[in-house]
Amino acid sequence: ELHHFWGTRWQWRGWWHEGVEDDSVGESDIISTVEFNHTGELLATGDKGGRVVIFQREQESKNQPHRRGEYNVYSTFQSHEPEFDYLKSLEIEEKINKIRWLPQQNAAYFLLSTNDKTVKLWKVSERDKRPEGYNLKDEDGRLRDPSMITMLRVPVLRPMDLMVEATPRRVFANAHTYHINSISVNSDYETYMSADDLRINLWNFEITNQSFNIVDIKPANMEELTEVITAAEFHPHHCNTFVYSSSKGTIRLCDMRASALCDRHSKFFEEPEDPSNRSFFSEIISSISDVKFSHSGRYIMTRDYLTVKVWDLNMENRPIETYQVHDYLRSKLCSLYENDCIFDKFECVWNGSDSVIMTGSYNNFFRMFDRNTKRDVTLEASRENSKPRAILKPRKVCVGGKRRKDEISVDSLDFSKKILHTAWHPSENIIAVAATNNLYIFQDKVN
Ligand SMILES: *[C@@H]1O[C@H](CO)[C@@H](O)[C@H](O)[C@H]1NC(C)=O
Ligand SMILES: *[C@@H]1O[C@H](CO)[C@@H](O)[C@H](O)[C@H]1NC(C)=O
Ligand SMILES: *[C@@H]1O[C@H](CO)[C@@H](O)[C@H](O)[C@H]1NC(C)=O
Ligand SMILES: *[C@@H]1O[C@H](CO)[C@@H](O)[C@H](O)[C@H]1NC(C)=O
């Protein structure tokens, strides 16, 4: 039965939301990115209001082994503020487009967050002690009257309630003319890249006033522009290799050892279009909204409007696997174009062993595909279904013919409820699903 999906029953774990009811969602509360850290103990979300919220998993309790650690809010901070570009008379939104964690090197945690223009490196650290007994200042920081200082004191550290502080350590600004769509930390952990519509820059974490332009597809004459960069990512193990995807449905693999400016790709992945499927919308729906290397580094996964594709790095002329996410929308493209939904940018993720793929759809549905058994499932992130410990019921969309009792027809799907951002714990079956202003965390059922 589908309930035992790969021996996995997704169980509701909790949700967290800002604002009141779904209907009165404040625009700024809409979650715009979700990312686990490298061990899955921390989970960060960014929202349209420029805020970052970090969740931490509780320690497992010995008394309640069936209760696996829940995620609780650990730290909340304002990462980006709205700005105004006076030269171009343009507003720069505070919306967080991407968050990427750095591997932990000391007691503090570091993450990169970006809006359209500026990348910031944040340090998140704990404080549970406070210095007291300064000589020149009193406990509130006011200068003491020098005539009252008659002896030298040795300041001491006193315990206090745990405080989590986020401090901006670096601000990488003024390097992007267009909108940043991706950031990716290199496996050398010294550099990262940021990609906008036409260019990709390489940064050193220590240097904020200079970056290297590694890809530039801006034509001399902007009227000749036919393609933009939609996403980019470093290879997980080879620090010289990265990929970027385009609005034409192509993926380029570049090797930084070949030349400083990677204008010539070393591999070019593209699937020839099926002429029988050609339509006015072909080019729009083939635009790639996300590209992700598998953890092994052997495959790349891309998401376009209707499908997820898996490519073998050794085969450029077609994907080795294609999964239909919501093929029933093929007949609805005209209305999806009119309401702009056709331009939605869905992301996709691998599970820790690269055996399962997850991506979002409409009506708060999200999909999982098992690459080995070729089974797939549609699940729904909704509050009605989210009773504590309730098992998610697979959902089914009815295409033509008679609608069965538990099916939903294509025409009653709610296109304003979309799952664009999801994350999969790096080593366990725990997933985070962002649905508008709600974050759902599901895990497989523990026996
Ligand atoms: C992820 O976060 C946890 C903190 O809860 C930390 O112990 C762990 O080292 C982090 N992992 C990495 C690889 O940074
Ligand atoms: C960046 O800043 C450093 C230190 O302030 C300086 O030495 C260097 O010349 C600057 N580089 C550029 C390109 O401005
Ligand atoms: C063409 O459309 C059919 C469904 O209408 C789909 O199954 C098939 O994958 C499409 N072909 C390509 C190359 O996208
Ligand atoms: C996904 O990968 C992890 C290993 O990282 C594994 O424990 C888990 O069972 C996999 N999930 C599924 C649904 O197969």
Side-chain angles (χ1 to χ4, degrees):
E1 253 307 304
L2 269 177
H3 265 264
H4 290 271
F5 190 51
W6 313 304
T8 296
R9 304 165 71 187
W10 294 97
Q11 189 179 31
W12 177 78
R13 206 53 209 167
W15 50 262
W16 173 86
H17 74 112
E18 281 249 340
V20 218
E21 284 302 309
D22 276 7
D23 317 336
S24 61
V25 179
E27 178 79 5
S28 66
D29 295 332
I30 296 175
I31 298 172
S32 50
T33 183
V34 192
E35 187 81 5
F36 280 104
N37 85 338
H38 299 264
T39 47
E41 299 302 305
L42 296 175
L43 172 67
T45 65
D47 68 22
K48 286 203 172 174
R51 272 165 309 191
V52 170
V53 179
I54 301 177
F55 298 83
Q56 187 180 41
R57 197 175 180 189
E58 262 177 24
Q59 292 301 312
E60 313 247 336
S61 131
K62 291 243 162 50
N63 317 331
Q64 296 168 294
H66 60 281
R67 256 189 66 151
R68 278 201 269 168
E70 312 219 354
Y71 287 83
N72 293 320
V73 175
Y74 176 64
S75 170
T76 304
F77 60 93
Q78 189 74 33
S79 168
H80 286 69
E81 305 272 357
E83 282 177 72
F84 196 77
D85 180 340
Y86 289 95
L87 275 181
K88 297 205 192 92
S89 265
L90 275 181
E91 233 167 296
I92 303 171
E93 275 185 89
E94 65 273 33
K95 173 179 164 240
I96 308 294
N97 292 341
K98 285 278 150 56
I99 290 176
R100 289 289 177 262
W101 289 92
L102 272 70
Q104 192 178 9
Q105 275 155 358
N106 53 32
Y109 310 115
F110 288 88
L111 61 81
L112 286 174
S113 63
T114 188
N115 68 352
D116 286 341
K117 300 284 176 196
T118 304
V119 183
K120 293 186 183 178
L121 176 67
W122 288 89
K123 175 186 176 185
V124 181
S125 52
E126 294 184 355
R127 236 177 44 173
D128 58 359
K129 292 192 184 61
R130 155 178 86 209
E132 276 180 17
Y134 286 119
N135 288 289
L136 302 179
K137 289 185 291 186
D138 67 13
E139 306 316 336
D140 299 325
R142 281 186 301 257
L143 283 179
R144 290 169 67 198
D145 178 358
S147 61
M148 302 289 287
I149 304 175
T150 52
M151 57 179 216
L152 199 60
R153 298 193 290 183
V154 178
V156 289
L157 287 176
R158 294 230 185 278
M160 62 170 204
D161 287 344
L162 180 70
M163 217 172 81
V164 182
E165 292 176 320
T167 37
R169 293 308 296 269
R170 304 263 186 278
V171 176
F172 305 90
N174 305 323
H176 285 278
T177 311
Y178 306 95
H179 291 179
I180 300 177
N181 52 48
S182 310
I183 42 178
S184 177
V185 176
N186 196 350
S187 56
D188 64 10
Y189 303 136
E190 286 179 9
T191 56
Y192 76 91
M193 68 175 168
S194 54
D196 70 25
D197 302 330
L198 297 179
R199 296 191 179 107
I200 302 179
N201 293 329
L202 181 69
W203 301 84
N204 184 300
F205 279 112
E206 300 298 326
I207 302 168
T208 58
N209 61 352
Q210 196 176 17
S211 66
F212 292 95
N213 182 227
I214 50 173
V215 174
D216 187 346
I217 64 164
K218 185 171 185 281
N221 176 0
M222 276 298 260
E223 317 233 301
E224 286 159 21
L225 182 69
T226 58
E227 188 173 21
V228 295
I229 299 169
T230 53
E233 192 178 54
F234 268 119
H235 188 282
H237 316 302
H238 302 153
C239 61
N240 54 292
T241 310
F242 66 94
V243 288
Y244 71 90
S245 61
S246 88
S247 55
K248 279 195 159 169
T250 63
I251 310 127
R252 287 173 176 83
L253 182 104
C254 303
D255 186 344
M256 292 194 286
R257 289 175 304 192
S259 65
L261 188 65
C262 299
D263 277 353
R264 287 214 198 94
H265 50 264
S266 34
K267 290 193 181 195
F268 181 73
F269 302 85
E270 182 179 32
E271 182 174 37
E273 193 190 353
D274 180 348
S276 63
N277 281 9
R278 169 166 280 141
S279 78
F280 171 70
F281 304 108
S282 299
E283 191 163 326
I284 304 177
I285 62 170
S286 67
S287 176
I288 293 177
S289 48
D290 198 13
V291 60
K292 293 271 167 65
F293 270 106
S294 61
H295 296 82
S296 68
R298 167 79 192 267
Y299 305 104
I300 39 187
M301 160 166 65
T302 56
R303 171 71 207 261
D304 55 43
Y305 192 59
L306 296 178
T307 71
V308 183
K309 292 176 177 149
V310 176
W311 306 76
D312 188 325
L313 280 196
N314 299 319
M315 190 162 83
E316 295 167 61
N317 61 350
R318 64 187 160 84
I320 53 167
E321 293 154 29
T322 299
Y323 301 97
Q324 302 295 337
V325 178
H326 37 213
D327 205 45
Y328 45 78
L329 297 184
R330 213 173 268 279
S331 59
K332 293 261 168 293
L333 293 178
C334 204
S335 45
L336 292 163
Y337 178 75
E338 279 165 17
N339 64 13
D340 273 351
C341 282
I342 204 167
F343 301 105
D344 284 334
K345 294 185 165 37
F346 292 97
E347 296 173 358
C348 50
V349 292
W350 301 91
N351 81 324
S353 59
D354 298 336
S355 58
V356 185
I357 285 165
M358 172 168 62
T359 192
S361 178
Y362 293 103
N363 207 55
N364 279 353
F365 286 174
F366 57 98
R367 305 262 291 141
M368 287 187 193
F369 303 95
D370 186 315
R371 299 178 59 210
N372 300 322
T373 63
K374 302 295 173 207
R375 283 164 69 176
D376 64 270
V377 71
T378 303
L379 299 171
E380 181 181 3
S382 82
R383 265 197 251 178
E384 293 80 69
N385 295 358
S386 299
K387 305 284 177 310
R389 317 264 175 273
I391 305 290
L392 290 186
K393 259 208 347 239
R395 305 300 313 263
K396 230 177 149 96
V397 177
C398 144
V399 268
K402 262 241 197 75
R403 188 168 66 88
R404 297 232 212 100
K405 194 167 96 260
D406 52 353
E407 291 182 346
I408 175 164
S409 83
V410 180
D411 294 315
S412 43
L413 294 174
D414 185 342
F415 291 102
S416 68
K417 293 184 173 159
K418 40 193 116 178
I419 307 278
L420 303 177
H421 316 284
T422 62
W424 200 308
H425 187 291
S427 56
E428 290 177 40
N429 281 332
I430 296 178
I431 55 172
V433 176
T436 325
N437 62 331
N438 292 314
L439 177 71
Y440 292 84
I441 296 172
F442 302 106
Q443 65 166 38
D444 62 337
K445 185 167 163 50
V446 203
N447 293 317

